[in-house]
Amino acid sequence: MRSLSVGKNLVANTKTTVFTTPTRQVGRWLLAHISNHTGNNKAVSMWWYDKSENTEVVVIDQYALDAKKTLQFGGGNIYVALEEGDEIRITSETGSTMSIIVTIELDATSAVQYSN
């Protein structure tokens, strides 16, 4: 497995795809680190999109993140298993300035898992 970190500066009130598991890859979503750079408390929501079920699963639901603070989850032996085409998505509240870093471990597979 190889480790990969991806970061994004979020556009307020816009659902952003932070990461999409590449073709012929599986992964472990190990960590998310969200920063609120705004001078006020602002809400943030995050989803795991399960491509095999065509379903968004709520990971964080309108969490009120304090001004100039961070939210971190994951680490240790806890992770979300990602299959080819799965996505990590996030939205921050209107008027917010936030960023996110996610860390994933990827491993190659020998075949395409899902085809359209």
Side-chain angles (χ1 to χ4, degrees), residues 68-96:
K68 306 295 183 183
K69 299 290 181 179
T70 61
L71 170 63
Q72 181 171 304
F73 71 92
N77 293 326
I78 299 170
Y79 61 88
V80 176
L82 301 173
E83 296 180 326
E84 181 180 306
D86 286 2
E87 297 178 354
I88 300 168
R89 300 171 176 173
I90 188 168
T91 299
S92 61
E93 183 179 347
T94 299
S96 66

Side-chain angles (χ1 to χ4, degrees), residues 38-89:
T38 315
N40 302 323
N41 298 353
K42 294 291 182 177
V44 62
S45 296
M46 189 174 340
W47 301 265
W48 160 50
Y49 170 70
D50 181 356
K51 182 177 180 179
S52 67
E53 296 292 326
N54 191 29
T55 302
E56 278 187 335
V57 178
V58 176
V59 177
I60 298 173
D61 189 15
Q62 294 295 306
Y63 182 86
L65 186 53
D66 292 343
K68 306 295 183 183
K69 299 290 181 179
T70 61
L71 170 63
Q72 181 171 304
F73 71 92
N77 293 326
I78 299 170
Y79 61 88
V80 176
L82 301 173
E83 296 180 326
E84 181 180 306
D86 286 2
E87 297 178 354
I88 300 168
R89 300 171 176 173

